[in-house]
Amino acid sequence: PSSDCVVAEQLCLSDSTCNATYRTLENCALAKTHLLSLDHDSRVRCLNAELDLGNSSLLHCKCHRRMKRQEHCLRIFWTVHSSMTDAENNCVSPLPSTVEHWKTDYNKLAALVSGKNCSQLAGDATNPCLKATHVCNLSKKCFRLRTDYASICTKGAGSEDVCDQRKCHRGLRNFFEKVPEDFTKRILFCPCQDEFCGERRRKTIVPDCSFQYNTKPNCLWLLDSCLEDHICKSRLADFQQNCQPVDMSPDGCSLHNHAACLQAYMGMIGTPMTPNYVSNSSVEVSLWCTCENSGNQKEKCDQILSMFESNKCL
């Protein structure tokens, strides 16, 4: 089993040789974080330090979902893998692979949480998104954390004040990390037959705060913002790994694990590259960005956007 990067770091620091190598990699990662250009010798030294770890548990460590000290763990992972700095190379995920079977009946779930309240779900048959919300309300944790992010993300609505997007994103991550996926997946992916239901689904993440800006930024700017953040960088790598489209595959997905892809998609919510539904009448999703005025980086920009807009696997 993959070791915890926090544990692996402690083991490495207790060994003089590993410690010295790790300190070199920390300097390499720091230089890249501050966008300092490294000369040829420094780049070679950084790559050699990564190779010198050999079979060290640091080289193969992971950061488990919902773990404590997650940001510290991710910083360790990207220190060790500091040579991967852009979207093309960001394919090694710090998150361990999961195989998940996602089949739970709404009413059975509600009965487990609070049998006496099941009757209130009967009237929601025509709006699965409303029904999913009511099921969430039956769980104290789901209700509390959903209320928390909704409150943070709607501050400033109706006035000149703008919401605090960073706090909104943190509240969303808290919700999707701490609430069991039986609740969160059904709120985010509820199947709709009409636009009223679709609009409720589209507004699940309070897009006016978490998703949209006054004007659409360039997708390359979104990517740069993501790669500067250990959490976003890690979740993007996880998304690329688990939602890798392949034209020759019957289901359009390289890993054939759609539950893992959906989980990785959910992980992007609450990051600088937060995706969302584009309308209340379809299940198409996108990033809030554009590739206009991308100059000679137009192709790279289109690739970033197509990871969400044209991803057959997703």
Side-chain angles (χ1 to χ4, degrees):
S2 300
S3 64
D4 180 328
C5 288
V6 177
V7 175
E9 182 192 46
Q10 292 171 347
L11 291 172
C12 177
L13 295 180
S14 66
D15 176 87
S16 58
T17 304
C18 187
N19 190 325
T21 303
Y22 184 64
R23 296 305 182 193
T24 298
L25 287 173
E26 279 189 317
N27 291 331
C28 298
L30 192 64
K32 296 197 180 214
T33 300
H34 291 88
L35 303 178
L36 302 176
S37 57
L38 297 172
D39 58 33
H40 175 73
D41 290 345
S42 296
R43 287 198 300 272
V44 170
R45 187 162 58 250
C46 291
L47 288 171
N48 285 340
E50 196 169 315
L51 292 171
D52 284 345
L53 286 178
N55 292 320
S56 162
S57 56
L58 261 179
L59 197 60
H60 307 287
C61 70
K62 296 286 184 179
C63 298
H64 299 271
R65 292 174 175 86
R66 303 173 185 237
M67 71 179 292
K68 292 180 180 179
R69 303 184 70 194
Q70 185 181 130
E71 289 192 50
H72 177 65
C73 184
L74 295 174
R75 181 188 64 76
I76 296 167
F77 179 90
W78 291 114
T79 294
V80 175
H81 297 278
S82 58
S83 62
M84 295 183 290
T85 57
D86 55 34
E88 286 79 15
N89 290 329
N90 247 8
C91 56
V92 178
S93 171
L95 305 176
S97 299
T98 57
V99 178
E100 184 185 346
H101 301 286
W102 174 30
K103 291 180 182 177
T104 306
D105 179 74
Y106 272 122
N107 292 321
K108 181 180 177 183
L109 177 63
L112 287 171
V113 178
S114 178
K116 64 183 180 181
N117 291 323
C118 285
S119 59
Q120 79 180 69
L121 300 171
D124 302 328
T126 57
N127 190 336
C129 290
L130 193 59
K131 186 174 183 178
T133 301
H134 283 165
V135 170
C136 172
N137 290 344
L138 297 177
S139 159
K140 287 183 180 178
K141 177 181 276 190
C142 189
F143 175 73
R144 176 174 57 82
L145 291 175
R146 182 174 169 273
T147 302
D148 283 352
Y149 85 71
S151 172
I152 296 167
C153 297
T154 51
K155 281 183 179 178
S159 69
E160 293 182 3
D161 296 329
V162 294
C163 73
D164 189 324
Q165 191 180 68
R166 289 176 70 89
K167 286 185 178 178
C168 176
H169 281 168
R170 195 182 307 126
L172 280 166
R173 292 200 306 270
N174 232 11
F175 176 74
F176 285 107
E177 285 174 11
K178 294 183 178 179
V179 175
E181 289 180 359
D182 274 330
F183 297 102
T184 56
K185 277 186 174 175
R186 279 164 175 76
I187 287 177
L188 193 63
F189 303 124
C190 42
C192 289
Q193 300 298 321
D194 60 67
E195 292 195 4
F196 178 75
C197 176
E199 182 68 358
R200 187 178 185 90
R201 179 176 61 192
R202 191 182 69 81
K203 289 190 172 178
T204 294
I205 66 166
V206 198
D208 287 351
C209 184
S210 69
F211 177 65
Q212 296 170 198
Y213 300 83
N214 291 331
T215 57
K216 283 189 176 182
N218 188 280
C219 298
L220 294 170
W221 178 83
L222 272 193
L223 177 65
D224 288 343
S225 300
C226 182
L227 296 181
E228 289 171 4
D229 179 277
H230 283 129
I231 289 178
C232 187
K233 182 178 182 179
S234 302
R235 295 185 181 191
L236 176 61
D238 194 54
F239 177 79
Q240 289 175 300
Q241 178 175 289
N242 288 295
C243 298
Q244 184 66 46
V246 177
D247 290 335
M248 300 299 290
S249 174
D251 64 355
C253 191
S254 63
L255 296 182
H256 312 293
N257 187 347
H258 297 285
C261 180
L262 289 179
Q263 186 181 52
Y265 173 86
M266 289 168 66
M268 295 303 300
I269 295 173
T271 72
M273 288 183 72
T274 293
N276 195 27
Y277 297 99
V278 296
S279 75
N280 56 13
S281 57
S282 77
V283 290
E284 292 180 19
V285 298
S286 182
L287 298 172
W288 183 260
C289 64
T290 177
C291 284
E292 293 179 11
N293 304 317
S294 295
N296 59 4
Q297 290 191 295
K298 177 73 163 58
E299 186 177 349
K300 180 179 179 180
C301 186
D302 287 338
Q303 287 174 352
I304 296 162
L305 197 53
S306 68
M307 284 194 296
F308 295 88
E309 285 190 345
S310 310
N311 190 327
K312 291 180 181 178
C313 181
L314 178 62

